[in-house]
Coordinates of all heavy atoms in Angstrom, one line a residue:
M11 N -106.1 96.9 -81.5 CA -107.0 95.9 -81.6 C -107.5 96.1 -83.0 O -107.7 97.2 -83.6 CB -108.2 96.0 -80.7 CG -109.2 95.0 -80.7 SD -110.3 95.0 -79.3 CE -111.8 94.8 -80.3
I12 N -107.8 94.9 -83.6 CA -108.4 94.9 -85.1 C -109.4 93.9 -85.0 O -109.4 92.9 -84.5 CB -107.1 94.5 -86.0 CG1 -107.6 94.7 -87.5 CG2 -106.6 93.2 -85.8 CD1 -106.5 94.6 -88.4
S13 N -110.5 94.2 -85.8 CA -111.6 93.2 -86.1 C -112.3 93.3 -87.4 O -112.1 94.4 -88.1 CB -112.7 93.5 -85.0 OG -113.3 94.7 -85.2
L14 N -113.0 92.3 -87.8 CA -113.6 92.4 -89.1 C -115.2 92.5 -88.7 O -115.6 91.4 -88.2 CB -113.3 91.2 -89.8 CG -113.9 91.0 -91.4 CD1 -113.3 92.2 -92.2 CD2 -113.4 89.8 -92.0
Q15 N -115.8 93.5 -89.1 CA -117.3 93.6 -89.1 C -118.0 93.8 -90.3 O -117.5 94.9 -90.9 CB -117.5 94.8 -88.0 CG -117.0 94.5 -86.7 CD -117.2 95.6 -85.7 OE1 -117.9 96.6 -86.0 NE2 -116.8 95.4 -84.5
D16 N -118.8 92.9 -90.8 CA -119.3 92.9 -92.2 C -118.0 92.9 -93.2 O -117.3 92.0 -93.1 CB -120.2 94.2 -92.3 CG -121.4 94.2 -91.5 OD1 -121.9 93.1 -91.3 OD2 -121.7 95.2 -90.9
D17 N -117.9 93.9 -93.9 CA -116.7 93.9 -94.8 C -115.6 94.9 -94.4 O -114.7 95.3 -95.1 CB -117.2 94.1 -96.3 CG -117.5 95.6 -96.6 OD1 -117.9 96.2 -95.7 OD2 -117.4 96.0 -97.8
Q18 N -115.9 95.3 -93.2 CA -114.8 96.5 -92.7 C -113.8 96.0 -91.8 O -114.1 95.3 -90.7 CB -115.5 97.5 -92.0 CG -116.5 98.4 -92.9 CD -117.0 99.5 -92.1 OE1 -116.5 100.0 -91.1 NE2 -118.0 100.1 -92.6
I19 N -112.5 96.2 -92.0 CA -111.4 96.1 -91.1 C -111.5 97.3 -90.2 O -111.5 98.5 -90.7 CB -110.1 96.1 -91.7 CG1 -110.1 94.8 -92.8 CG2 -109.0 96.0 -90.8 CD1 -108.8 94.9 -93.7
R20 N -111.7 97.1 -88.9 CA -111.8 98.2 -87.8 C -110.7 98.1 -87.0 O -110.4 97.1 -86.4 CB -113.1 98.0 -87.2 CG -114.3 98.1 -88.1 CD -115.7 98.1 -87.2 NE -115.9 99.1 -86.2 CZ -116.3 100.4 -86.6 NH1 -116.7 100.7 -87.8 NH2 -116.4 101.3 -85.8
V21 N -109.8 99.2 -87.0 CA -108.7 99.3 -86.2 C -109.0 100.2 -85.1 O -109.6 101.2 -85.2 CB -107.4 99.8 -87.0 CG1 -106.3 99.9 -86.2 CG2 -107.1 98.9 -88.2
E22 N -108.7 99.8 -83.9 CA -109.0 100.6 -82.6 C -107.7 100.8 -82.0 O -106.8 99.9 -81.8 CB -110.0 99.9 -81.9 CG -111.3 99.6 -82.6 CD -112.4 98.9 -81.5 OE1 -112.2 99.1 -80.5 OE2 -113.1 98.3 -82.2
G23 N -107.7 101.9 -81.2 CA -106.5 102.2 -80.2 C -105.2 102.8 -81.0 O -105.4 103.4 -82.0
D24 N -104.2 102.4 -80.6 CA -103.0 102.9 -81.2 C -102.6 102.0 -82.4 O -102.8 100.8 -82.5 CB -101.7 102.8 -80.2 CG -101.8 103.8 -79.0 OD1 -102.7 104.7 -79.1 OD2 -101.0 103.7 -78.1
F25 N -102.2 102.6 -83.5 CA -101.9 102.0 -84.9 C -100.4 102.6 -85.1 O -100.3 103.4 -85.8 CB -102.9 102.4 -85.8 CG -102.8 101.6 -87.0 CD1 -102.3 100.4 -87.2 CD2 -103.6 102.1 -88.2 CE1 -102.3 99.6 -88.4 CE2 -103.5 101.4 -89.4 CZ -102.9 100.2 -89.5
N26 N -99.5 101.8 -84.5 CA -98.1 102.3 -84.6 C -97.2 101.3 -84.5 O -97.5 100.1 -84.4 CB -97.9 103.6 -83.6 CG -98.1 103.1 -82.2 OD1 -98.0 102.0 -81.8 ND2 -98.6 103.9 -81.2
Q27 N -95.9 101.6 -84.4 CA -94.8 100.6 -84.3 C -95.0 99.6 -83.1 O -94.6 98.5 -83.4 CB -93.3 101.4 -84.0 CG -92.8 102.0 -85.3 CD -91.4 102.5 -85.1 OE1 -91.1 103.0 -83.9 NE2 -90.5 102.4 -86.0
Q28 N -95.4 100.0 -82.1 CA -95.6 99.0 -81.0 C -96.7 98.0 -81.3 O -96.7 96.9 -80.8 CB -95.9 99.7 -79.7 CG -94.8 100.5 -79.1 CD -94.3 101.8 -79.9 OE1 -95.2 102.6 -80.3 NE2 -93.1 102.0 -79.9
T29 N -97.7 98.4 -82.0 CA -98.9 97.5 -82.2 C -98.9 96.8 -83.6 O -99.5 95.9 -83.7 CB -100.3 98.1 -82.0 OG1 -100.3 99.2 -83.0 CG2 -100.4 98.9 -80.6
I30 N -98.3 97.4 -84.6 CA -98.3 96.9 -85.9 C -97.9 95.4 -86.0 O -98.6 94.7 -86.8 CB -97.3 97.8 -86.8 CG1 -97.9 99.1 -87.1 CG2 -96.9 97.0 -88.1 CD1 -99.1 99.1 -88.0
P31 N -96.9 94.9 -85.3 CA -96.6 93.5 -85.5 C -97.8 92.6 -85.2 O -98.1 91.5 -86.0 CB -95.5 93.3 -84.5 CG -94.8 94.6 -84.4 CD -95.9 95.5 -84.5
A32 N -98.6 92.9 -84.4 CA -99.7 92.2 -84.0 C -100.9 92.3 -85.0 O -101.8 91.3 -85.1 CB -100.2 92.3 -82.6
L33 N -100.9 93.4 -85.6 CA -102.0 93.8 -86.5 C -101.9 93.4 -88.0 O -102.8 93.1 -88.8 CB -102.3 95.3 -86.5 CG -102.6 95.9 -85.1 CD1 -102.8 97.5 -85.2 CD2 -103.9 95.2 -84.5
I34 N -100.7 93.3 -88.4 CA -100.4 93.1 -89.9 C -100.8 91.8 -90.3 O -101.7 91.8 -91.4 CB -98.8 93.1 -90.2 CG1 -98.4 94.6 -90.0 CG2 -98.6 92.7 -91.5 CD1 -98.0 95.3 -91.1
A35 N -100.6 90.7 -89.8 CA -101.1 89.4 -90.2 C -102.6 89.3 -90.2 O -103.2 88.8 -91.0 CB -100.4 88.3 -89.5
Q36 N -103.2 89.8 -89.0 CA -104.5 89.8 -88.9 C -105.3 90.5 -90.0 O -106.4 90.1 -90.6 CB -105.0 90.3 -87.5 CG -104.6 89.4 -86.4 CD -104.8 90.1 -85.0 OE1 -105.8 90.9 -85.0 NE2 -104.3 89.7 -84.0
G37 N -104.8 91.8 -90.2 CA -105.4 92.5 -91.4 C -105.2 91.8 -92.7 O -106.2 91.8 -93.5
E38 N -104.1 91.1 -93.1 CA -103.9 90.4 -94.2 C -105.1 89.3 -94.3 O -105.6 89.2 -95.5 CB -102.5 89.9 -94.4 CG -101.5 90.9 -94.5 CD -100.0 90.4 -94.4 OE1 -99.8 89.2 -94.1 OE2 -99.1 91.0 -94.8
D39 N -105.3 88.6 -93.3 CA -106.2 87.5 -93.3 C -107.7 88.1 -93.5 O -108.4 87.5 -94.2 CB -106.2 86.9 -91.9 CG -105.1 86.0 -91.6 OD1 -104.3 85.6 -92.6 OD2 -104.8 85.6 -90.5
M40 N -107.8 89.3 -93.0 CA -109.2 90.0 -93.3 C -109.3 90.5 -94.7 O -110.4 90.3 -95.3 CB -109.4 91.1 -92.3 CG -109.4 90.7 -90.9 SD -109.4 92.1 -89.7 CE -109.5 91.2 -88.0
V41 N -108.3 90.9 -95.2 CA -108.3 91.3 -96.7 C -108.5 90.0 -97.6 O -109.4 90.0 -98.4 CB -106.9 92.0 -97.0 CG1 -106.9 92.1 -98.7 CG2 -106.8 93.3 -96.4
R42 N -107.8 89.0 -97.2 CA -108.1 87.7 -97.9 C -109.6 87.2 -97.7 O -110.1 86.6 -98.7 CB -107.2 86.6 -97.5 CG -105.7 86.9 -98.0 CD -104.7 85.7 -97.6 NE -103.4 86.0 -97.8 CZ -102.5 86.3 -96.8 NH1 -103.0 86.5 -95.7 NH2 -101.3 86.8 -97.3
A43 N -110.1 87.5 -96.6 CA -111.6 87.1 -96.4 C -112.6 88.1 -97.2 O -113.6 87.8 -97.0 CB -111.8 87.1 -94.9
G44 N -112.1 89.1 -97.8 CA -113.0 89.9 -98.7 C -113.3 91.3 -98.1 O -114.2 91.9 -98.7
A45 N -112.6 91.8 -97.1 CA -112.9 93.0 -96.6 C -112.6 94.0 -97.7 O -111.8 94.0 -98.6 CB -111.8 93.4 -95.5
G46 N -113.6 95.1 -97.7 CA -113.5 96.1 -98.7 C -113.3 97.5 -98.2 O -113.1 98.5 -98.9
V47 N -113.2 97.6 -96.8 CA -113.1 98.9 -96.1 C -112.1 98.8 -95.0 O -112.2 97.8 -94.3 CB -114.4 99.4 -95.6 CG1 -114.2 100.8 -94.8 CG2 -115.5 99.8 -96.9
I48 N -111.3 99.8 -94.8 CA -110.4 100.0 -93.6 C -111.0 101.1 -92.9 O -111.0 102.4 -93.4 CB -109.0 100.2 -94.0 CG1 -108.4 99.1 -94.8 CG2 -108.3 100.3 -92.7 CD1 -107.1 99.3 -95.3
N49 N -111.6 100.9 -91.8 CA -112.2 101.9 -90.9 C -111.3 102.3 -89.7 O -110.9 101.5 -88.9 CB -113.5 101.4 -90.4 CG -114.5 102.6 -89.7 OD1 -113.7 103.4 -89.1 ND2 -115.6 102.6 -89.9
L50 N -110.9 103.7 -89.9 CA -109.9 104.0 -88.8 C -110.5 105.0 -87.9 O -109.8 105.8 -87.1 CB -108.6 104.7 -89.6 CG -107.9 103.9 -90.5 CD1 -106.8 104.7 -91.1 CD2 -107.4 102.6 -89.8
A51 N -111.8 105.0 -87.7 CA -112.6 105.9 -86.7 C -112.2 105.8 -85.4 O -112.2 106.8 -84.6 CB -114.0 105.7 -87.0
A52 N -111.8 104.6 -84.9 CA -111.4 104.4 -83.5 C -109.9 104.5 -83.2 O -109.5 104.0 -82.2 CB -112.0 103.2 -83.1
V53 N -109.1 104.9 -84.2 CA -107.7 104.9 -83.9 C -107.4 106.1 -83.2 O -107.8 107.3 -83.4 CB -107.0 105.0 -85.3 CG1 -105.5 105.2 -85.3 CG2 -107.1 103.6 -86.1
D54 N -106.5 105.9 -82.2 CA -106.1 107.0 -81.3 C -104.7 107.7 -81.8 O -104.5 108.8 -81.8 CB -105.9 106.5 -79.8 CG -107.2 106.0 -79.2 OD1 -108.1 106.7 -79.4 OD2 -107.2 105.0 -78.5
A55 N -103.8 106.8 -82.0 CA -102.4 107.3 -82.2 C -101.9 106.6 -83.5 O -102.1 105.3 -83.6 CB -101.5 107.2 -81.2
V56 N -101.1 107.3 -84.5 CA -100.6 106.7 -85.7 C -99.2 107.2 -85.7 O -98.7 108.1 -85.3 CB -101.4 107.0 -86.9 CG1 -102.7 106.4 -86.9 CG2 -101.3 108.6 -87.3
D57 N -98.4 106.3 -86.5 CA -97.1 106.8 -87.0 C -97.0 106.2 -88.4 O -97.9 105.7 -88.9 CB -95.9 106.4 -86.0 CG -95.9 104.9 -85.9 OD1 -96.3 104.2 -86.8 OD2 -95.1 104.5 -85.0
S58 N -95.8 106.4 -89.0 CA -95.6 106.0 -90.3 C -95.8 104.5 -90.6 O -96.1 104.0 -91.7 CB -94.2 106.4 -91.0 OG -93.3 105.8 -90.1
S59 N -95.7 103.7 -89.6 CA -95.9 102.4 -89.8 C -97.4 102.0 -90.1 O -97.7 101.0 -90.8 CB -95.5 101.5 -88.6 OG -96.1 101.8 -87.5
A60 N -98.3 102.8 -89.6 CA -99.8 102.6 -89.9 C -99.9 102.9 -91.5 O -100.6 102.1 -92.1 CB -100.6 103.5 -89.1
V61 N -99.3 103.8 -92.0 CA -99.5 104.1 -93.3 C -98.9 102.9 -94.2 O -99.5 102.5 -95.2 CB -98.7 105.5 -93.7 CG1 -98.7 105.8 -95.2 CG2 -99.3 106.7 -93.0
A62 N -97.7 102.5 -93.9 CA -97.1 101.2 -94.6 C -98.2 100.0 -94.5 O -98.2 99.4 -95.4 CB -95.8 101.0 -93.9
A63 N -98.7 99.8 -93.3 CA -99.6 98.7 -93.2 C -100.8 98.7 -94.0 O -101.2 97.9 -94.7 CB -100.1 98.6 -91.8
V64 N -101.5 99.9 -94.1 CA -102.5 100.3 -94.9 C -102.1 100.0 -96.4 O -102.9 99.4 -97.1 CB -103.2 101.6 -94.7 CG1 -104.2 102.0 -95.8 CG2 -103.9 101.6 -93.3
L65 N -101.0 100.5 -96.8 CA -100.6 100.2 -98.2 C -100.4 98.9 -98.6 O -100.7 98.4 -99.6 CB -99.3 101.1 -98.4 CG -99.5 102.6 -98.6 CD1 -98.1 103.3 -98.6 CD2 -100.3 102.9 -99.8
G66 N -99.9 98.1 -97.6 CA -99.7 96.7 -97.8 C -100.9 95.9 -97.9 O -101.1 95.0 -98.8
W67 N -101.9 96.3 -97.1 CA -103.2 95.7 -97.2 C -103.9 96.1 -98.5 O -104.5 95.1 -99.2 CB -104.2 96.1 -96.1 CG -103.7 95.6 -94.6 CD1 -102.8 94.5 -94.4 CD2 -104.0 96.1 -93.5 NE1 -102.7 94.4 -93.1 CE2 -103.4 95.4 -92.5 CE3 -104.8 97.2 -93.1 CZ2 -103.4 95.7 -91.1 CZ3 -104.9 97.4 -91.7 CH2 -104.3 96.7 -90.7
M68 N -103.8 97.2 -99.0 CA -104.2 97.7 -100.3 C -103.6 97.0 -101.4 O -104.2 96.5 -102.4 CB -104.1 99.2 -100.4 CG -105.1 99.9 -99.5 SD -104.9 101.7 -99.6 CE -106.3 102.0 -100.5
R69 N -102.3 96.8 -101.3 CA -101.6 96.0 -102.4 C -102.1 94.6 -102.4 O -102.2 93.9 -103.5 CB -100.1 96.0 -102.0 CG -99.2 95.6 -103.2 CD -97.8 95.7 -102.8 NE -97.4 95.8 -101.5 CZ -96.9 97.0 -100.9 NH1 -96.8 98.1 -101.6 NH2 -96.6 97.0 -99.5
L70 N -102.2 93.9 -101.2 CA -102.8 92.6 -101.3 C -104.1 92.4 -101.8 O -104.4 91.6 -102.7 CB -102.8 92.1 -99.8 CG -103.3 90.7 -99.4 CD1 -102.3 89.7 -100.2 CD2 -103.3 90.5 -98.0
A71 N -105.1 93.3 -101.5 CA -106.3 93.5 -102.2 C -106.3 93.5 -103.7 O -107.0 92.8 -104.5 CB -107.2 94.6 -101.6
R72 N -105.5 94.4 -104.0 CA -105.3 94.7 -105.6 C -104.9 93.5 -106.3 O -105.2 93.1 -107.5 CB -104.4 95.9 -105.9 CG -105.1 97.2 -105.6 CD -104.5 98.3 -106.0 NE -105.1 99.6 -105.6 CZ -104.5 100.6 -105.1 NH1 -103.3 100.8 -105.0 NH2 -105.3 101.7 -104.8
A73 N -104.0 92.7 -105.6 CA -103.4 91.4 -106.2 C -104.5 90.6 -106.3 O -104.4 89.6 -107.2 CB -102.3 90.9 -105.3
S74 N -105.6 90.6 -105.6 CA -106.7 89.8 -105.7 C -107.8 90.3 -106.5 O -108.9 89.8 -106.6 CB -107.3 89.3 -104.3 OG -106.3 88.8 -103.6
G75 N -107.6 91.4 -107.2 CA -108.5 92.0 -108.1 C -109.5 92.9 -107.4 O -110.6 93.1 -108.0
R76 N -109.2 93.2 -106.3 CA -110.2 94.0 -105.3 C -109.7 95.3 -104.8 O -108.4 95.5 -105.0 CB -110.7 93.1 -104.1 CG -111.6 92.0 -104.5 CD -112.0 91.2 -103.3 NE -110.9 90.6 -102.6 CZ -110.4 91.1 -101.5 NH1 -111.0 92.1 -100.7 NH2 -109.3 90.4 -100.8
E77 N -110.4 96.3 -104.5 CA -109.9 97.5 -104.0 C -110.4 97.5 -102.5 O -111.4 97.1 -102.1 CB -110.5 98.7 -104.7 CG -110.1 98.7 -106.2 CD -108.7 99.1 -106.4 OE1 -108.2 99.9 -105.6 OE2 -108.1 98.4 -107.3
L78 N -109.5 98.3 -101.7 CA -109.8 98.6 -100.5 C -110.1 100.1 -100.2 O -109.3 100.9 -100.9 CB -108.7 98.2 -99.5 CG -108.6 96.9 -98.9 CD1 -107.5 96.5 -98.0 CD2 -109.9 96.5 -98.0
R79 N -111.0 100.5 -99.5 CA -111.2 101.9 -99.4 C -111.0 102.3 -97.8 O -111.3 101.5 -96.9 CB -112.7 102.2 -99.7 CG -113.1 103.6 -99.7 CD -114.5 103.9 -100.3 NE -115.6 102.9 -99.6 CZ -116.3 103.2 -98.7 NH1 -116.2 104.5 -98.2 NH2 -117.3 102.5 -98.2
V80 N -110.3 103.5 -97.6 CA -110.0 103.9 -96.2 C -111.2 104.8 -95.8 O -111.4 105.9 -96.6 CB -108.8 104.6 -96.2 CG1 -108.4 105.0 -94.7 CG2 -107.6 103.4 -96.3
T81 N -111.8 104.7 -94.7 CA -112.7 105.8 -94.2 C -112.4 106.1 -92.8 O -111.6 105.5 -92.0 CB -114.1 105.1 -94.1 OG1 -114.2 104.1 -93.2 CG2 -114.6 104.6 -95.4
A82 N -112.9 107.3 -92.5 CA -112.8 107.9 -91.2 C -111.3 108.1 -90.6 O -111.0 107.8 -89.4 CB -113.7 107.2 -90.2
A83 N -110.4 108.3 -91.5 CA -108.9 108.4 -91.2 C -108.7 109.6 -90.2 O -109.1 110.7 -90.5 CB -108.1 108.6 -92.4
P84 N -108.0 109.4 -89.2 CA -107.7 110.6 -88.3 C -106.7 111.6 -89.2 O -106.1 111.2 -90.0 CB -106.9 110.0 -87.1 CG -106.8 108.6 -87.4 CD -107.5 108.2 -88.8
A85 N -106.8 112.8 -88.5 CA -106.0 113.8 -89.3 C -104.5 113.6 -89.3 O -103.8 113.8 -90.3 CB -106.2 115.2 -88.6
A86 N -104.0 112.9 -88.3 CA -102.5 112.6 -88.2 C -102.2 111.5 -89.3 O -101.2 111.6 -89.9 CB -102.3 112.0 -86.7
F87 N -103.1 110.6 -89.5 CA -103.0 109.6 -90.5 C -102.9 110.3 -91.9 O -102.2 110.0 -92.7 CB -104.0 108.5 -90.5 CG -103.8 107.4 -91.5 CD1 -103.0 106.3 -91.2 CD2 -104.3 107.5 -92.8 CE1 -102.8 105.3 -92.2 CE2 -104.2 106.4 -93.7 CZ -103.4 105.5 -93.5
R88 N -103.9 111.1 -92.1 CA -103.9 111.8 -93.5 C -102.7 112.7 -93.7 O -102.2 112.7 -94.8 CB -105.2 112.7 -93.5 CG -105.4 113.5 -94.8 CD -106.8 113.2 -95.1 NE -107.4 113.5 -96.3 CZ -107.3 113.0 -97.6 NH1 -106.3 112.2 -97.8 NH2 -108.0 113.2 -98.6
S89 N -102.3 113.4 -92.6 CA -101.1 114.2 -92.7 C -99.7 113.5 -93.1 O -99.0 113.8 -93.8 CB -100.7 115.0 -91.4 OG -101.8 115.9 -91.2
L90 N -99.7 112.2 -92.5 CA -98.6 111.4 -92.8 C -98.7 110.9 -94.2 O -97.7 110.8 -94.8 CB -98.5 110.2 -91.8 CG -97.9 110.5 -90.4 CD1 -98.2 109.3 -89.5 CD2 -96.4 110.8 -90.4
S91 N -99.8 110.6 -94.7 CA -100.0 110.2 -96.1 C -99.7 111.2 -97.0 O -99.0 111.0 -98.0 CB -101.5 109.7 -96.2 OG -101.9 108.7 -95.4
D92 N -100.0 112.4 -96.7 CA -99.7 113.5 -97.5 C -98.1 113.9 -97.5 O -97.6 114.0 -98.6 CB -100.2 114.8 -97.0 CG -101.8 114.9 -97.2 OD1 -102.3 114.2 -98.0 OD2 -102.4 115.7 -96.5
L93 N -97.5 113.7 -96.3 CA -96.1 114.0 -96.1 C -95.3 113.0 -97.0 O -94.3 113.3 -97.6 CB -95.7 113.8 -94.7 CG -94.2 113.9 -94.3 CD1 -93.7 115.3 -94.6 CD2 -93.8 113.5 -92.9
Y94 N -95.7 111.7 -97.0 CA -95.0 110.6 -97.7 C -95.5 110.6 -99.2 O -94.9 109.8 -99.9 CB -95.1 109.2 -97.2 CG -94.5 109.4 -95.7 CD1 -95.2 109.1 -94.6 CD2 -93.2 109.5 -95.6 CE1 -94.5 109.0 -93.4 CE2 -92.4 109.5 -94.3 CZ -93.2 109.4 -93.2 OH -92.5 109.4 -92.1
G95 N -96.5 111.3 -99.6 CA -96.9 111.4 -100.9 C -97.7 110.2 -101.4 O -97.8 109.9 -102.8
V96 N -98.5 109.6 -100.5 CA -99.3 108.4 -100.9 C -100.7 108.7 -100.8 O -101.4 107.8 -100.9 CB -98.7 107.2 -100.2 CG1 -97.3 106.8 -100.6 CG2 -98.9 107.5 -98.6
S97 N -101.2 109.9 -100.5 CA -102.6 110.1 -100.2 C -103.4 109.7 -101.5 O -104.5 109.2 -101.4 CB -102.7 111.5 -99.9 OG -102.4 112.0 -98.6
G98 N -102.8 110.0 -102.6 CA -103.5 109.6 -103.9 C -103.8 108.1 -104.1 O -104.8 107.8 -104.7
F99 N -102.8 107.4 -103.5 CA -103.1 105.9 -103.3 C -104.0 105.5 -102.4 O -104.7 104.6 -102.6 CB -101.7 105.2 -103.3 CG -100.6 105.4 -104.2 CD1 -99.6 106.2 -103.9 CD2 -100.9 105.1 -105.5 CE1 -98.6 106.6 -104.8 CE2 -99.8 105.3 -106.5 CZ -98.7 106.0 -106.2
I100 N -104.1 106.2 -101.2 CA -104.9 105.7 -100.1 C -106.3 106.2 -100.2 O -107.1 105.5 -99.9 CB -104.2 106.1 -98.8 CG1 -103.0 105.3 -98.6 CG2 -105.1 105.8 -97.7 CD1 -102.0 105.6 -97.4
F101 N -106.5 107.5 -100.5 CA -107.8 108.1 -100.5 C -108.3 108.3 -101.8 O -107.5 108.7 -102.9 CB -107.6 109.4 -99.7 CG -107.1 109.3 -98.3 CD1 -105.8 109.6 -98.0 CD2 -107.9 108.8 -97.4 CE1 -105.4 109.5 -96.7 CE2 -107.6 108.5 -96.0 CZ -106.3 109.0 -95.8
Q102 N -109.7 108.3 -102.1 CA -110.3 108.6 -103.3 C -110.6 110.2 -103.0 O -111.4 110.5 -102.2 CB -111.5 108.0 -103.5 CG -111.3 106.5 -103.7 CD -112.7 105.7 -103.8 OE1 -113.8 106.3 -103.8 NE2 -112.7 104.5 -104.0
E103 N -109.8 111.0 -103.7 CA -109.8 112.5 -103.4 C -111.3 113.1 -103.6 O -111.5 114.2 -102.9 CB -108.9 113.2 -104.3 CG -107.5 112.8 -104.0 CD -107.1 113.0 -102.6 OE1 -107.4 114.0 -101.8 OE2 -106.2 112.2 -102.1
S104 N -112.1 112.5 -104.2 CA -113.6 113.1 -104.4 C -114.4 112.8 -103.2 O -115.4 113.2 -103.1 CB -114.0 112.6 -105.6 OG -114.3 111.3 -105.6
D105 N -113.8 111.8 -102.4 CA -114.7 111.3 -101.2 C -114.3 112.1 -100.0 O -113.4 111.8 -99.2 CB -114.5 109.9 -101.0 CG -115.4 109.2 -99.9 OD1 -116.2 110.1 -99.4 OD2 -115.3 108.1 -99.7
D106 N -115.2 113.2 -99.6 CA -114.9 113.9 -98.4 C -115.0 113.1 -97.1 O -114.5 113.6 -96.0 CB -115.7 115.3 -98.4 CG -115.3 116.2 -99.5 OD1 -114.2 116.2 -99.9 OD2 -116.1 116.9 -99.9
S107 N -115.5 112.0 -97.1 CA -115.7 111.2 -95.9 C -114.5 110.7 -95.3 O -114.3 110.5 -94.2 CB -116.8 110.1 -96.0 OG -116.2 109.1 -96.9
N108 N -113.4 110.7 -96.3 CA -112.1 110.4 -95.8 C -111.4 111.5 -95.1 O -110.3 111.2 -94.6 CB -111.3 109.9 -97.0 CG -111.8 108.6 -97.6 OD1 -112.2 107.7 -96.9 ND2 -111.8 108.5 -98.9
R109 N -112.0 112.5 -94.9 CA -111.2 113.7 -94.4 C -111.7 114.0 -92.9 O -111.8 115.1 -92.4 CB -111.6 114.8 -95.2 CG -110.8 114.8 -96.6 CD -111.1 116.1 -97.4 NE -110.3 116.0 -98.6 CZ -109.1 116.4 -98.8 NH1 -108.4 116.8 -97.8 NH2 -108.6 116.2 -99.9
A110 N -112.0 112.9 -92.1 CA -112.4 113.1 -90.7 C -111.3 113.8 -90.1 O -110.2 113.7 -90.0 CB -112.5 111.7 -90.0
G111 N -111.7 114.9 -89.2 CA -110.8 115.7 -88.6 C -110.1 116.8 -89.3 O -109.4 117.3 -88.8
V112 N -110.3 116.9 -90.5 CA -109.6 117.8 -91.4 C -110.5 119.0 -91.7 O -111.5 118.9 -92.0 CB -109.1 117.2 -92.8 CG1 -108.4 118.3 -93.5 CG2 -108.1 116.1 -92.5

């Protein structure tokens, strides 16, 4: 499930290959609506497709001259981001709030 609350894209439940098709377009619409944060606090399970979706939303925001910030990322999401070498793009390394569960 995905929702826009204030300026936050809130993803809940599983964020993986099975759920991504339904979430991608909704997330893109939320980015276009001005979201500034992707909140992953309520995410249960992730795989590499979640990392790809977040990178896509961030790319879309940057194309509009805005930045998206990821908060409360589960440890598994952070580990996958590290594994694929994209943590530097996704996380502001000086912001420890992005290290939920780490």
Side-chain angles (χ1 to χ4, degrees):
M11 184 169 136
I12 189 169
S13 62
L14 182 63
Q15 297 175 3
D16 299 319
D17 75 333
Q18 290 193 21
I19 297 171
R20 299 182 62 85
V21 182
E22 299 178 29
D24 293 346
F25 193 17
N26 56 29
Q27 283 183 323
Q28 288 74 35
T29 62
I30 286 290
L33 300 178
I34 293 250
Q36 291 176 22
E38 289 173 352
D39 290 343
M40 292 171 187
V41 170
R42 288 186 191 101
V47 176
I48 302 169
N49 186 321
L50 301 177
V53 169
D54 296 324
V56 298
D57 64 18
S58 60
S59 60
V61 175
V64 167
L65 286 169
W67 294 339
M68 294 178 102
R69 186 176 25 247
L70 180 61
R72 285 188 184 139
S74 301
R76 293 179 296 103
E77 296 292 323
L78 272 178
R79 185 170 55 92
V80 175
T81 62
F87 183 89
R88 188 136 189 55
S89 293
L90 286 169
S91 299
D92 289 343
L93 177 68
Y94 295 118
V96 296
S97 289
F99 299 108
I100 294 176
F101 301 103
Q102 295 176 3
E103 293 305 324
S104 62
D105 185 357
D106 288 335
S107 69
N108 287 325
R109 295 182 174 270
V112 176

